[in-house]
Amino acid sequence: MVAAPAQAANPLVTRFAADPSMLVANNRVYLYTTDDAGNSGTYWDNNAWRVYSSADLTTWTDHGAPFSVGGFSWATQYAWAPSAVYRNGYYYLYLPVDRTKIGVARSTSPTSGFSDPRGNPLIERGRDANTGDEPIDPAAFVDDNGQGYLYFGGARAPKVVRLNADLTSTSGSIQNVTINGTGSGTQYGEAGFVHKRNGLYYFSYSTGWPGQIAYATASSPLGPFTYRGILLDYTNNNTNHHSIAEYNGRWYIAYHRNALPGSNNFRRSLAMDYLNYNSDGTIARVTQTSVGVGTPTIPVNRVQSYNFADRYVRHVNNDARIDPNVSPAADAQWRVVPGLANASSGYVSFESVNFPGYYLRHYDYDLSLARNEGTAQYAADATFRRVAGLADSGAVSFQSYNFTSRYLRHSNYVLRIDPISTATERADATFRITS
């Protein structure tokens, strides 16, 4: 086993990975993922899956590849989004391959020793009726009474089939999953997932490409489900895929986005944040953070004005400005994190310490503190390139990512992005990062 560096923040690990399926077992959380580090970087053409585990959701152990496409004698390519469950001493992985089939692998260990108990696909387009055009994104769910179900489907066609007690064969016909009450942009796209809380079944899914994570509820695992809303906004990746689990009395959502150097739509990174329920059982919209669910290790900094050395960048009523004697002090504290639009070295975003998930972003050239919307526009507006100070090369200035002729500066103590030409403007656009 290779211990990954502690990532008490998002991303969880330093290897490209995506489509996390959470499984709680042995007082640990296991994440079974698509291994993006194994693909070409231009398509999702990896041929093995990956598994990580943690007892504290801070230090993650990389257990390597629990299974590969080659473990199925009948499969040829594309190790896509997995799903995992545990029952009666066995761990089961439901694995889509070839864009047309879903197989199942089984082991007595959560991290190794998986093999194919069937010798043929569990679900196969062309062999089985009503698979839809793309039987991918399996999501296995075992109800309290022991009945198992497999949800799957892409291309806006959600499906479900009962599993037999062995969890390696199906019972009855493949059924459509009905979701009532969706409107424009909220229909199922792919990446379904099911969990149960207080007797209510939650079916959550991605709305498309790019997609938000929406959810619907039902009194039966077979539905029909009723649309309830969005629980996770767009991320900065073209795909959105998640899982939800309770661990030690708290609920969590694992998902993917771009947060590692070299990220793109095919090279994604793992994230985890808290999932909270309202008193009526609805789900509060998740705040995407860089801090995640561990103890933060990203330093807390202040951003000091170069030409008004007693003033620091702060937020007040969501406005951004420079002030002296900031109270509360946390209003002037920031985590300088990898850029939301570009995580490469030199690009940064400013996340509020006392409002995790809220960043400095510009709108009509003015700066404000705004909640991460998960859109590409937001990410670009909240990203800056760190350069040598325009007034003093020993200090620092911040160039707008999407308006490269403009720099972060203060004017009448208010922050904005402007073109810089005069000595006064260069001083206004220069800062020092302090602890």
Side-chain angles (χ1 to χ4, degrees), residues 16-87:
F16 292 121
D19 306 323
S21 175
M22 276 193 287
L23 173 62
V24 177
N26 312 316
N27 296 315
R28 297 181 71 84
V29 173
Y30 294 85
L31 287 178
Y32 298 87
T33 74
T34 301
D35 183 27
D36 281 5
N39 70 33
S40 63
T42 59
Y43 193 67
W44 306 283
D45 48 10
N46 47 290
N47 62 11
W49 293 269
R50 203 84 177 178
V51 59
Y52 306 87
S53 76
S54 176
D56 59 9
L57 308 185
T58 295
T59 304
W60 290 87
T61 297
D62 181 347
H63 299 277
F67 199 70
S68 67
V69 172
F72 292 133
S73 62
W74 42 266
T76 59
Q77 60 185 348
Y78 302 153
W80 285 7
S83 176
V85 296
Y86 171 81
R87 192 169 75 172

Side-chain angles (χ1 to χ4, degrees), residues 93-138:
L93 296 181
Y94 298 86
L95 305 169
V97 292
D98 296 342
R99 299 186 68 173
T100 59
K101 309 178 188 76
I102 297 172
V104 58
R106 184 179 64 189
S107 177
T108 56
S109 164
T111 59
S112 63
F114 285 90
S115 61
D116 177 7
R118 292 176 52 91
N120 63 2
L122 177 66
I123 303 292
E124 183 175 7
R125 189 182 72 192
R127 183 195 70 187
D128 304 320
N130 197 33
T131 63
D133 290 335
E134 198 172 37
I136 61 171
D137 292 347

Side-chain angles (χ1 to χ4, degrees), residues 42 90 178 182 203 208 213 222 253 276-277 297 310 361 376 416:
T42 59
Y90 284 99
T178 299
T182 58
F203 181 72
I213 300 298
L222 297 176
I253 181 170
N276 296 302
Y277 296 86
T297 58
D310 65 332
R361 64 86 59 97
R416 51 183 292 111

Side-chain angles (χ1 to χ4, degrees), residues 226-296:
T226 299
Y227 176 79
R228 297 299 183 190
I230 301 296
L231 67 85
L232 180 70
D233 271 325
Y234 302 100
T235 70
N236 57 354
N237 192 275
N238 191 50
T239 59
N240 206 345
H241 197 117
H242 73 296
S243 63
I244 293 167
E246 184 181 21
Y247 181 59
N248 290 340
R250 291 292 310 256
W251 285 88
Y252 300 91
I253 181 170
Y255 59 102
H256 68 241
R257 63 190 189 205
N258 291 352
L260 289 170
S263 292
N264 59 35
N265 284 334
F266 309 103
R267 291 279 174 86
R268 299 158 292 182
S269 54
L270 299 177
M272 182 179 289
D273 279 300
Y274 292 109
L275 186 84
N276 296 302
Y277 296 86
N278 301 312
S279 58
D280 62 357
T282 57
I283 300 176
R285 192 168 294 204
V286 172
T287 298
Q288 298 178 36
T289 72
S290 66
V291 174
V293 300
T295 302

